[in-house]
Amino acid sequence: MADELSALIAGLTQAQKTISPKYFYDETGSALFDEITKLPEYYLTRTELDIMRTHIDEMASLVGPQASLIEFGSGSSLKTRMLLEHLDDLAVYVPVDISEEHLLASQRRIRDAFPHIDVLPVVADFMHPFQLPDPPTMPIRNVVYFPGSTIGNFEHDDAVDLLRVMHEEAGAGGALLIGVDLQKDPSVINAAYNDSAGVTARFNLNMLTHINREFGSDFDTSFFEHRATYRPDQGRVAVELVSMKRQDAQLGAETLSFAKGETILTEYSHKYTLDGFADMAAMAGFKVGHVWTDARQWFSVQYLVRS
Ligand code: AVJ
């Protein structure tokens, strides 16, 4: 808690004020993200699911029998369920998440739906290597699963570091199945992060409500505004909260001053080219085994193997 507060203050006292995207996901924020995934403009989840549906048999046969599936994140999404339904004789499913609460809830749901699958959750910050649990039966290979283009939240060097952790957890003969959003017409991307119903705006602003509740700060959410801009030259969306006037906010012992128009960067969402992502994967020791995309090449699901 004290560590979290000092990290928050550190981010908010930089020249470019920043808050980690992890603060999106309190109960309200998780429900709003769920709503986002159903918005007409938010193509990511729908497209990734379509790709999975179309190619699930091929994906399952690459993973092969008696694999250990290690999901980075607490799982229980539709995509995870689809994989669990199709994988042949899975040795174990290992969801890895920093939140014990999220893990236990998702473990319960997976056990209910798939009583024959062994679930061994791991509480860990997956940015750093962690110990895998002893599986009940010896897996033929470890396959790390990282859906949703969550990799896009990380800047280049951090993304490579995270891929290196996945490379290590996959071990010899292992692989990574990952969802990766692709560069496309900027108007499509901008619409996805500026939906007409304003759900993404509420999702972004809820971060301040969440922080006010958890840290007793007094950000005035009525004087911040959502902004999301795709920069094709940078291949990423910057999601920001813009201060609509000169104002102060109290956070712990720190008084934060905002100029009118000053921004808090709350998230990057990187969009890749297939080559650009392959280069990044190569820096972590992966080579691209297989890439599935939709007909418009808006999104990709990639099977990376250790090179
Ligand atoms: C969950 C990180 C993949 O970047 O599209 C959705 C989060 N932010 N709308 C994304 C998000 C604004 C999402 N990821």
Side-chain angles (χ1 to χ4, degrees):
M1 188 74 184
D3 285 4
E4 283 196 34
L5 179 59
S6 19
L8 256 177
I9 289 172
L12 284 164
T13 47
Q14 297 178 132
Q16 168 65 67
K17 294 181 166 69
T18 61
I19 301 178
S20 161
K22 73 178 177 194
Y23 289 105
F24 283 136
Y25 302 99
D26 64 350
E27 223 179 288
T28 307
S30 301
L32 285 169
F33 181 68
D34 245 38
E35 250 186 83
I36 288 175
T37 65
K38 292 164 193 150
L39 292 168
E41 297 97 331
Y42 195 77
Y43 60 85
L44 288 84
T45 313
R46 191 174 302 119
T47 310
E48 183 174 24
L49 258 170
D50 281 347
I51 296 168
M52 301 270 308
R53 260 189 215 108
T54 309
H55 301 287
I56 190 69
D57 290 334
E58 201 179 357
M59 291 176 189
S61 81
L62 280 173
V63 171
Q66 291 162 55
S68 165
L69 187 71
I70 303 156
E71 179 159 357
F72 277 40
S74 66
S76 83
S77 72
L78 265 172
K79 291 161 259 175
T80 304
R81 282 159 184 273
M82 202 187 301
L83 262 180
L84 293 178
E85 263 163 38
H86 285 85
L87 293 180
D88 174 24
D89 191 22
L90 196 63
V92 63
Y93 171 61
V94 183
V96 184
D97 200 278
I98 198 154
S99 157
E100 183 161 22
E101 194 188 326
H102 289 171
L103 266 179
L104 291 178
S106 96
Q107 178 185 28
R108 213 168 305 118
R109 287 192 293 269
I110 297 286
R111 284 206 168 131
D112 286 350
F114 304 95
H116 58 287
I117 291 182
D118 280 303
V119 185
L120 291 179
V122 173
V123 180
D125 171 4
F126 56 58
M127 287 307 289
H128 306 285
F130 52 89
Q131 182 77 48
L132 285 171
D134 279 332
T137 59
M138 190 59 190
I140 291 178
R141 71 164 55 83
N142 291 341
V143 176
V144 174
Y145 185 45
F146 197 45
S149 203
T150 306
I151 189 75
N153 268 180
F154 300 90
E155 292 188 68
H156 184 275
D157 293 1
D158 292 336
V160 172
D161 284 348
L162 178 54
L163 290 168
R164 286 196 176 117
V165 174
M166 294 174 172
H167 185 270
E168 182 169 334
E169 302 301 337
L176 165 61
L177 185 65
I178 183 168
V180 178
D181 197 15
L182 301 178
Q183 294 180 10
K184 62 185 67 61
D185 183 343
S187 65
V188 173
I189 299 175
N190 279 314
Y193 293 86
N194 293 280
D195 63 281
S196 58
V199 183
T200 308
R202 279 156 59 208
F203 174 70
N204 196 12
L205 281 160
N206 176 65
M207 187 182 259
L208 297 180
T209 310
H210 177 196
I211 288 167
N212 283 345
R213 188 182 60 245
E214 201 148 310
F215 299 94
S217 52
D218 65 354
F219 291 98
D220 188 344
T221 55
S222 53
F223 289 104
F224 284 92
E225 176 171 88
H226 166 72
R227 182 161 83 197
T229 325
Y230 178 57
R231 291 272 306 263
D233 57 322
Q234 298 178 342
R236 68 188 179 195
V237 178
V239 180
E240 298 164 303
L241 290 165
V242 186
S243 177
M244 293 159 69
K245 61 173 189 184
R246 214 224 65 73
Q247 57 182 324
D248 293 337
Q250 192 68 30
L251 172 63
E254 198 74 27
T255 305
L256 304 164
S257 299
F258 294 87
K260 183 176 180 181
E262 189 177 353
T263 61
I264 306 173
L265 175 67
T266 53
E267 177 178 51
Y268 281 131
S269 190
H270 289 79
K271 312 301 171 191
Y272 304 92
T273 60
L274 292 177
D275 285 345
F277 191 79
D279 288 347
M280 208 167 74
M283 292 178 74
F286 282 114
K287 68 172 188 282
V288 178
H290 207 108
V291 177
W292 301 271
T293 67
D294 54 298
R296 296 185 288 201
Q297 299 229 24
W298 279 7
F299 197 96
S300 66
V301 179
Q302 310 203 11
Y303 190 76
L304 308 181
V305 294
R306 289 173 46 119
S307 47

